[in-house]
Amino acid sequence: DQQVKQNSPSLSVQEGRISILNCDYTNSMFDYFLWYKKYPAEGPTFLISISSIKDKNEDGRFTVFLNKSAKHLSLHIVPSQPGDSAVYFCAASTQAGTALIFGKGTTLSVSS
Amino acid sequence: EAQVTQNPRYLITVTGKKLTVTCSQNMNHEYMSWYRQDPGLGLRQIYYSMNVEVTDKGDVPEGYKVSRKEKRNFPLILESPSPNQTSLYFCASSRRTGGEAEAFFGQGTRLTVV
């Protein structure tokens, strides 16, 4: 059973608009959430994270929102740029965990 | 420069021929792991290591072995590769497990088993 779900395999957005990528989780023990970005032929790179004690974390154009009651988090990219086109993975971990649990990823395409 | 280095980047091999994918990190991280990425399945953990000589199975360990004789190296061994192990493999390292465990990934190894 998938513990981290990214239900949208793909998202297309115009340059300058907002991109919203969603992620749901089932394990209430998760207490840290991360977003990774992956370009073709490269490994995933860390983008932004949020602790379960917060509901928002912002870093430049990227903001992650966490709704613990709904077990839902989202990544907002404003404004979107063509260079943001990549696969975005949502991941979760627990304090005592031994792995990052990844979603299946969402492919973002930003057109100019 | 902090990095995780995997070799080779691309490999085509035949069924049953033993192979090793190397992974090395220069950040003195204790925690290292291997993932495989398959279409529609995301990243799934194969094995992990919490320190030298400490390894354990992840979600999909069948057909793989690992060793951690030194802190910086964590090779992935396929004793008898099969076509269902054709995949994109990533090695990752982090300061610790759990919590704020930002992982650093290698560039990946694309393995094809024919």
Side-chain angles (χ1 to χ4, degrees), chain B residues 12-24:
Chain B
I12 301 174
T13 190
V14 296
T15 299
K17 186 177 181 181
K18 180 179 179 179
L19 67 92
T20 299
V21 183
T22 64
C23 174
S24 179

Side-chain angles (χ1 to χ4, degrees), chain B residues 51-80:
Chain B
N51 214 324
V52 176
E53 302 290 1
V54 180
T55 63
D56 208 345
K57 297 176 181 178
D59 294 325
V60 288
E62 294 77 21
Y64 304 96
K65 284 176 57 177
V66 293
S67 70
R68 187 92 182 272
K69 294 184 171 58
E70 306 165 281
K71 199 172 188 178
R72 63 182 293 128
N73 296 322
F74 190 45
L76 179 69
I77 303 156
L78 285 73
E79 295 270 3
S80 183

Side-chain angles (χ1 to χ4, degrees), chain A residues 25-45:
Chain A
Y25 61 96
T26 58
N27 188 343
S28 57
M29 298 298 291
F30 287 143
D31 51 18
Y32 208 73
F33 303 91
L34 307 90
W35 284 93
Y36 281 81
K37 179 178 178 180
K38 184 183 179 302
Y39 292 118
E42 294 184 12
T45 55

Side-chain angles (χ1 to χ4, degrees), chain B:
Chain B
E1 180 189 352
Q3 59 185 6
V4 178
T5 303
Q6 292 177 231
N7 280 296
R9 292 289 310 277
Y10 303 91
L11 179 60
I12 301 174
T13 190
V14 296
T15 299
K17 186 177 181 181
K18 180 179 179 179
L19 67 92
T20 299
V21 183
T22 64
C23 174
S24 179
Q25 51 95 2
N26 64 359
M27 295 167 279
N28 203 36
H29 285 164
E30 291 185 348
Y31 184 77
M32 297 184 74
S33 57
W34 277 100
Y35 290 85
R36 62 179 286 175
Q37 183 188 2
D38 300 291
L41 296 176
L43 288 154
R44 296 178 295 167
Q45 192 187 53
I46 302 170
Y47 266 94
Y48 65 92
S49 169
M50 297 178 73
N51 214 324
V52 176
E53 302 290 1
V54 180
T55 63
D56 208 345
K57 297 176 181 178
D59 294 325
V60 288
E62 294 77 21
Y64 304 96
K65 284 176 57 177
V66 293
S67 70
R68 187 92 182 272
K69 294 184 171 58
E70 306 165 281
K71 199 172 188 178
R72 63 182 293 128
N73 296 322
F74 190 45
L76 179 69
I77 303 156
L78 285 73
E79 295 270 3
S80 183
S82 62
N84 65 12
Q85 292 178 297
T86 292
S87 187
L88 180 57
Y89 292 86
F90 291 101
C91 178
S93 75
S94 60
R95 256 185 317 113
R96 50 163 292 184
T97 66
E100 194 173 340
E102 177 194 337
F104 294 81
F105 284 82
Q107 289 193 294
T109 296
R110 184 166 292 283
L111 172 66
T112 302
V113 184
V114 298

